[in-house]
Amino acid sequence: MFNRRHLFFASLLPWQAAFANERFEVTYTDAEWRKRLSAEQYRVLRKEGTEPAFSHPLNNEHRAGTFSCAGCALPLFASATKFDSGTGWPSFYKPLDNAVATRVDTDYGMRRTEVHCRRCGGHLGHVFDDGPKPTGLRYCMNGVSLAFAPQAK
């Protein structure tokens, strides 16, 4: 049974305290975020949700271009770093410089590294250490958190 005691102890977890103290360049009220984003984008970007695997078209995007934050348009990943991880989410081995930030995520009884946009704090996904060379990292991103702009010809 989940009760107020659980909420109290959860509020003491270090990751929640760290998140509460973070400040971002792009900020909106909750009502403004709801107006700017689709319901699914809001659920993922602002409430740290996850879209179903293999559900977003950007998983199959293979053109040259840039993947940006759907919340604030900050460029996040170059298409040259995208690879097919077989997980059902767009995956990259390296973000652009100064694009993302991370924090420890202990939801669901496991320890993971959550990735968010460094400019607006929008939840993007998680990073794992099972990616390809040269970094060995797999930035597993929610497609709904991203926007894609093809490279100009």
Side-chain angles (χ1 to χ4, degrees):
M1 179 81 179
F2 194 79
N3 59 38
R4 282 185 266 164
R5 187 177 316 139
H6 291 110
L7 288 173
F8 170 75
F9 286 115
S11 71
L12 300 177
L13 293 173
W15 64 269
Q16 286 191 346
F19 181 67
N21 291 330
E22 287 182 86
R23 300 289 179 249
F24 300 102
E25 295 169 42
V26 173
T27 58
Y28 296 104
T29 65
D30 191 61
E32 290 170 327
W33 279 119
R34 286 180 185 273
K35 285 181 185 175
R36 296 178 64 83
L37 304 170
S38 71
E40 182 68 353
Q41 286 174 320
Y42 177 83
R43 186 183 72 78
V44 174
L45 282 164
R46 307 314 308 167
K47 298 300 178 184
E48 300 183 2
T50 301
E51 69 191 8
F54 301 100
S55 67
H56 201 277
L58 288 182
N59 188 48
N60 296 314
E61 179 59 66
H62 301 291
R63 294 175 291 171
T66 303
F67 293 84
S68 300
C69 176
C72 71
L74 178 70
L76 302 172
F77 297 95
S79 61
T81 65
K82 188 174 187 284
F83 67 98
D84 184 1
S85 65
T87 62
W89 291 280
S91 297
F92 306 84
Y93 63 79
K94 179 185 174 191
L96 295 172
D97 291 340
N98 199 31
V100 303
T102 62
R103 67 170 80 75
V104 173
D105 173 0
T106 56
D107 287 350
Y108 307 110
M110 62 182 111
R111 187 177 179 90
R112 302 181 291 175
T113 303
E114 186 261 345
V115 179
H116 59 274
C117 173
R118 70 110 184 122
R119 186 160 68 181
C120 72
H123 173 73
L124 302 170
H126 293 85
V127 61
F128 303 94
D129 63 1
D130 60 359
K133 292 180 181 180
T135 65
L137 299 175
R138 172 174 52 96
Y139 285 82
C140 190
M141 304 292 98
N142 287 286
V144 73
S145 297
L146 304 172
F148 178 74
Q151 181 177 333
K153 293 183 179 185

